[in-house]
Amino acid sequence: MFEGFRQRRISAGGVEINLVEGGEGPPLLLLHGHPQTHVIWHKVAGTLAGHFTVVATDLRGYGDSAKPPGLPDHSNYSKRAMAQDQVEVMAALGHPRFRILAHDRGARVAHRLAVDHPDRVVKLATLDIAPTLAMYEHTNLAFAKSYFHWFFLIQPHPFPETLIGADPELYLRRVMGGRSAGLAPFTDEAFAEYLRCIRDPGTVHGLCEDYRASAGIDLDHDREDLAQGRKVACPLLALWGARGIVGRVVDPLEEWRRVALDVRGKALDCGHYLPEEAPGEVLAEVLPFLS
């Protein structure tokens, strides 16, 4: 799926981060979402590699990256810790400054990275999220039904881990196939990779810890930013799926403008999984922005 790319593992933040790297030009970091891996970028990575040096990682707890046991306060799965992983990976590759294109959970990591490390991020493009604090504060029935996993995965260990572990394929098909496009956006090869990874109990624990952190320590960090006036300083492009739920819960541009200084964006005619569901439309928007 990533012809011409090379796979690497780099030690960062005390864990090993798996990645693929390819292309030439300014460095571009790609960050995936739940319950997926760097494979989400397989439909756009080749084109992006014609313009950028592309680095697509598996987040801590996902894919083939390390999956440490969660700490009692979930701080080692905070977006701050996960962002630090990515800063160290890019530095190890010789990229002290870089652009970011990120989807779903990866975009939450990217948001934190841009706030905590403003000198590192040239531009940031987010796909189908609004800021975490805004999503929790505007929770309604439509959001809770579509994003049930936000509230399931934060339950104490080992409850969600045990239930998902009993039938990880069922969980994968329900979460990914329960959106507007069903399972149609996912190639057999990509789906097989997601399934391989989620069959690892470490992955299940890692993704639960990711969400537990988001409902606790990450919100503390977000509130601290608001209180101290810290915002994303780099240009930010927010794209979301018109058939998804984010735009029905909040006004994404309004919420991003509360936490970022330079925001633009729009809805695309698709659902949640933009890089696999509407790769051409994503490229048409992000290439001019990132360049």
Side-chain angles (χ1 to χ4, degrees):
M1 287 183 284
F2 290 85
E3 185 176 355
F5 283 66
R6 52 202 169 274
Q7 183 178 13
R8 300 184 62 176
R9 288 180 65 84
I10 292 180
S11 180
V15 299
E16 292 285 318
I17 297 297
N18 180 65
L19 62 91
V20 294
E21 180 185 27
E24 294 183 357
L28 171 63
L29 175 63
L30 305 182
L31 299 177
H32 67 86
H34 158 275
Q36 300 170 293
T37 72
H38 74 275
V39 168
I40 72 162
W41 305 108
H42 72 101
K43 294 182 180 179
V44 299
T47 300
L48 291 171
H51 302 265
F52 305 99
T53 298
V54 173
V55 178
T57 65
D58 291 337
L59 297 171
R60 171 189 298 230
Y62 290 82
D64 290 313
S65 289
K67 304 162 180 68
L71 296 175
D73 66 352
H74 317 296
S75 58
N76 60 331
Y77 282 88
S78 69
K79 302 308 148 297
R80 176 160 287 160
M82 295 170 83
Q84 184 65 36
D85 293 344
Q86 304 303 318
V87 168
E88 294 185 22
V89 163
M90 293 301 278
L93 294 171
H95 308 312
R97 283 173 54 79
F98 47 90
R99 295 154 172 79
I100 307 177
L101 171 60
H103 176 249
D104 190 71
R105 308 307 293 179
R108 302 189 188 285
V109 174
H111 175 196
R112 174 51 51 196
L113 197 162
V115 174
D116 286 359
H117 306 275
D119 57 325
R120 302 283 189 170
V121 185
V122 178
K123 291 182 179 181
L124 167 61
T126 66
L127 302 182
D128 210 55
I129 74 160
T132 305
L133 182 60
M135 295 301 291
Y136 274 117
E137 290 182 339
H138 290 86
T139 295
N140 59 20
L141 181 60
F143 177 70
K145 288 172 67 176
S146 181
Y147 282 59
F148 73 94
H149 55 287
W150 275 47
F151 309 97
F152 168 57
L153 298 175
I154 66 175
Q155 300 306 308
H157 174 271
F159 178 60
E161 285 95 334
T162 302
L163 296 188
I164 295 170
D167 195 341
E169 183 170 357
L170 175 63
Y171 177 79
L172 196 68
R173 289 184 178 277
R174 173 61 182 84
V175 171
M176 291 172 52
R179 306 297 181 111
S180 60
L183 291 171
F186 313 112
T187 66
D188 291 344
E189 188 176 8
F191 188 86
E193 269 297 289
Y194 304 144
L195 182 57
R196 176 184 69 82
C197 292
I198 204 170
R199 281 176 169 158
D200 179 353
T203 296
V204 177
H205 179 63
L207 62 87
C208 288
E209 285 295 301
D210 171 16
Y211 280 81
R212 288 170 183 141
S214 278
I217 191 169
D218 289 344
L219 297 182
D220 293 339
H221 294 159
D222 290 347
R223 292 186 179 109
E224 289 170 7
D225 290 342
L226 288 174
Q228 298 181 23
R230 289 194 299 263
K231 296 187 176 185
V232 175
C234 70
L236 186 151
L237 173 68
L239 303 174
W240 64 96
R243 300 181 210 164
I245 205 72
V246 171
R248 297 184 223 169
V249 177
V250 298
D251 179 336
L253 294 183
E254 178 182 342
E255 295 302 334
W256 277 116
R257 286 173 178 143
R258 295 181 193 278
V259 300
L261 299 176
D262 181 0
V263 178
R264 77 292 317 268
K266 61 188 287 189
L268 302 184
D269 186 20
C270 62
H272 176 63
Y273 296 100
L274 280 73
E276 291 173 287
E277 194 172 336
E281 292 85 342
V282 168
L283 288 168
E285 298 296 330
V286 303
L287 280 173
F289 171 74
L290 294 172
S291 297

